[in-house]
Amino acid sequence: MFRALLIEKTPEGGQIVHERSLSEDQLPEGDVTVRVEWSTLNYKDALAITGKGPVVRSYPMVPGIDCAGTIEASSHPGLLAGQPVVLNGWGAGENHWGGLAERVRVPGRWLIPLPAAFSTRQAMALGTAGYTAMLCVRALIREGVTPKSGPIVVTGASGGVGSVALMLLSKLGYQVTAVTGHPEEEPALRRLGATDILPRQALLRLTRPLEKAQWAGAVDVAGGAVLAALCASMQYHGVVTACGLAAGMAFPATVAPFILRGVTLVGIDSVHCPHEERLAAWQQLAELVDPEKLDGIIKEISLPDVQKAASDLLDGEIRGRILVRLAASGNAL
């Protein structure tokens, strides 16, 4: 038996979320079973758990888009019992039971061997947010944006993706402007590597088709009017990476930045990202992440705390990364 957070459909069409004891024979199909040590709470998880977004595709569902732990059983070539691994995306927590449980069973092709530089705890301190941030940074580099190109802007800088993006970009030598709706977070953002702080409301006041050209690159987690303002404010041949929708699905922009300044908008998909790109992203995270800075953005909770934390996350009351301990024997190093 193992503990899990379970979302079930009610007869009235709503949902109920509770902690349950489940047996391993209830796990979905897959050729690898993992003993989960750590998971995280992401924006998508919070939408699923609170029912405020159409994340869950089938019921009952164990939420959790990522986790890290040790393989207990495997019939997948190249993955062995006792091997530490990381799971990100692939529909976990949406249409396949996810990582907010002490056990997961998934297709082995979904799993990434844990880089030697990380413990399972450190891997989930990064989690899907950190991995997504790395995908954004890799896209900026791939599109030719270098520290000499000019400053970079990061939205949602107090959140999971934004805070890790700040660390990574700073480590690589970029000048980074952090956008936040929480001015009290300025000292923490500067410790992560921000050279400038921009209030979110100041960015949202940029509503013209073309604004003053300010940034060579951007990492955006917000979407909506925030993304539109960024595109209008990019330098000639600037690059915007878009990976989130915290400010909404709409994109109230014009074509002006794209046809008059040659701005590039790059979509970042962390869910179905090819295996080779995942491997490269995790290896680069192992090279760039400062463990001390990472520890400074973590809040650790246990499974019974997850529902409350999900509501707090959507209400904007949580900063940084939420780490969920699943196993008492989990690697705490």
Side-chain angles (χ1 to χ4, degrees):
M1 303 296 290
F2 64 96
R3 294 181 307 131
L5 200 66
L6 194 68
I7 304 175
E8 295 184 289
K9 201 80 169 176
T10 65
E12 298 76 24
Q15 67 177 39
I16 183 171
V17 184
H18 46 192
E19 187 180 342
R20 288 278 302 276
S21 289
L22 304 171
S23 63
E24 289 202 20
D25 59 11
Q26 292 176 271
L27 286 168
E29 292 185 1
D31 53 4
V32 180
T33 303
V34 178
R35 183 181 75 251
V36 179
E37 296 167 8
W38 300 92
S39 185
T40 63
L41 183 66
N42 299 280
Y43 189 81
K44 185 181 285 187
D45 299 324
L47 290 174
I49 291 165
T50 61
K52 293 183 178 179
V55 173
V56 177
R57 306 300 182 186
S58 63
Y59 295 87
M61 178 57 60
V62 174
I65 64 173
D66 57 12
C67 63
T70 303
I71 294 175
E72 284 195 331
S74 173
S75 59
H76 185 84
L79 293 175
L80 303 174
Q83 185 175 4
V85 289
V86 177
L87 169 67
N88 299 112
W90 294 117
E94 300 178 67
N95 51 39
H96 190 100
W97 282 14
L100 286 169
E102 292 176 335
R103 298 290 186 279
V104 296
R105 181 176 293 147
V106 297
R109 65 183 180 86
W110 291 4
L111 298 171
I112 295 293
L114 181 72
F118 292 139
S119 66
T120 53
R121 183 182 186 275
Q122 289 170 327
M124 281 298 100
L126 289 163
T128 292
Y131 148 67
T132 302
M134 189 74 253
L135 293 178
C136 291
V137 173
R138 285 175 59 82
L140 290 174
I141 294 170
R142 186 171 62 245
E143 294 293 330
V145 181
T146 71
K148 292 182 179 180
S149 300
I152 309 296
V153 60
V154 175
T155 64
S158 299
V161 175
S163 57
V164 178
L166 278 178
M167 283 193 289
L168 296 173
L169 290 163
S170 175
K171 180 74 176 239
L172 288 167
Y174 291 88
Q175 178 184 341
V176 190
T177 296
V179 178
T180 181
H182 304 279
E184 72 278 6
E185 295 294 315
E186 179 172 345
L189 294 174
R190 290 194 182 277
R191 286 194 297 271
L192 291 174
T195 49
D196 294 290
I197 308 296
L198 179 66
R200 183 172 59 220
Q201 287 305 314
L203 180 65
L204 288 172
R205 286 195 288 270
L206 304 178
T207 57
R208 295 180 299 180
L210 281 179
E211 294 283 351
K212 177 184 176 182
Q214 299 185 61
W215 299 294
V219 174
D220 178 55
V221 306
V226 172
L227 179 57
L230 289 180
C231 290
S233 305
M234 300 306 292
Q235 296 177 4
Y236 190 74
H237 279 176
V239 179
V240 180
T241 59
C243 64
L245 46 66
M249 288 278 287
F251 184 37
T254 75
V255 299
F258 309 109
I259 65 173
L260 297 179
R261 288 186 184 162
V263 170
T264 297
L265 178 59
V266 181
I268 303 297
D269 168 37
S270 63
V271 177
H272 297 290
C273 180
H275 188 79
E276 295 76 14
E277 178 69 6
R278 292 169 182 265
L279 280 172
W282 275 102
Q283 289 299 331
Q284 201 164 1
L285 283 169
E287 297 166 5
L288 294 175
V289 168
D290 183 335
E292 290 187 8
K293 287 186 177 180
L294 188 60
D295 282 341
I297 64 171
I298 295 169
K299 177 182 179 182
E300 188 177 315
I301 64 175
S302 58
L303 197 59
D305 305 319
V306 168
Q307 290 188 67
K308 172 63 164 57
S311 295
D312 291 344
L313 179 58
L314 294 187
D315 290 340
E317 297 178 11
I318 288 179
R319 314 285 181 267
R321 301 283 297 127
I322 304 300
L323 191 60
V324 184
R325 176 189 285 271
L326 270 303
S329 59
N331 185 348
L333 299 178

